[in-house]
Amino acid sequence: MKQLKKIKFMAMALFVAMFGMIFVACSDDDDDNGGSRIVGTWYSNNHYYGATSTFKFMSNGTYHLTFSGTNSSWFEDEEGRYSYEEKSGILVLVNRSGTTWYYFITNITDSYFTFMDEDGYVYTYYRK
């Protein structure tokens, strides 16, 4: 009788372990860059002091930000690394000099995304 209880216990333990592995293997495998939704080239048609900006987010976790137009010389192009967690909407940019910016993406579609900076300013970028 003890032998049967031991076998039953081992079978249940094995079942629980296998059940747990199924959930781990099937869990959401989002990487820090949120898949491919943010990857691509995005431009802003807002003229900030006479300049427009373009973000390019690469699938390897790097970004490039460029400015063009009147007074674009007021701004420096930058590049660095980014992470984007789609579930929370948090976009983190770290440029080459180590400066970090945090943004909250309030909406993202295939054609545009809107984000808010730390000061509450909202920006919209459109996919090129």
Side-chain angles (χ1 to χ4, degrees):
M1 191 68 151
K2 280 190 171 189
Q3 187 77 1
L4 187 56
K5 282 185 179 181
K6 189 174 184 179
I7 291 172
K8 195 185 265 188
F9 175 78
M10 294 295 279
M12 277 304 263
L14 181 62
F15 176 76
V16 169
M18 288 176 60
F19 193 72
M21 286 193 304
I22 289 170
F23 279 108
V24 170
C26 295
S27 70
D28 200 2
D29 291 332
D30 287 343
D31 61 7
D32 283 347
N33 296 328
S36 62
R37 290 198 81 178
I38 195 78
V39 172
T41 303
W42 304 84
Y43 72 95
S44 172
N45 61 3
N46 295 332
H47 291 275
Y48 185 69
Y49 293 105
T52 59
S53 57
T54 301
F55 268 113
K56 184 171 184 180
F57 295 100
M58 279 67 82
S59 61
N60 66 357
T62 60
Y63 77 93
H64 191 84
L65 174 62
T66 57
F67 295 92
S68 60
T70 309
N71 297 330
S72 61
S73 61
W74 291 4
F75 304 96
E76 290 186 28
D77 292 353
E78 70 177 51
E79 52 189 32
R81 300 207 49 79
Y82 76 94
S83 65
Y84 172 55
E85 172 48 54
E86 192 164 350
K87 286 181 182 178
S88 66
I90 302 298
L91 173 66
V92 180
L93 304 178
V94 181
N95 69 12
R96 286 190 172 192
S97 66
T99 304
T100 303
W101 289 276
Y102 297 91
Y103 300 102
F104 176 65
I105 294 185
T106 57
N107 193 10
I108 186 167
T109 69
D110 290 337
S111 57
Y112 74 94
F113 77 89
T114 303
F115 70 88
M116 182 173 26
D117 67 14
E118 296 169 330
D119 297 322
Y121 294 105
V122 176
Y123 306 88
T124 301
Y125 281 77
Y126 299 90
R127 191 176 295 276
K128 273 193 166 182

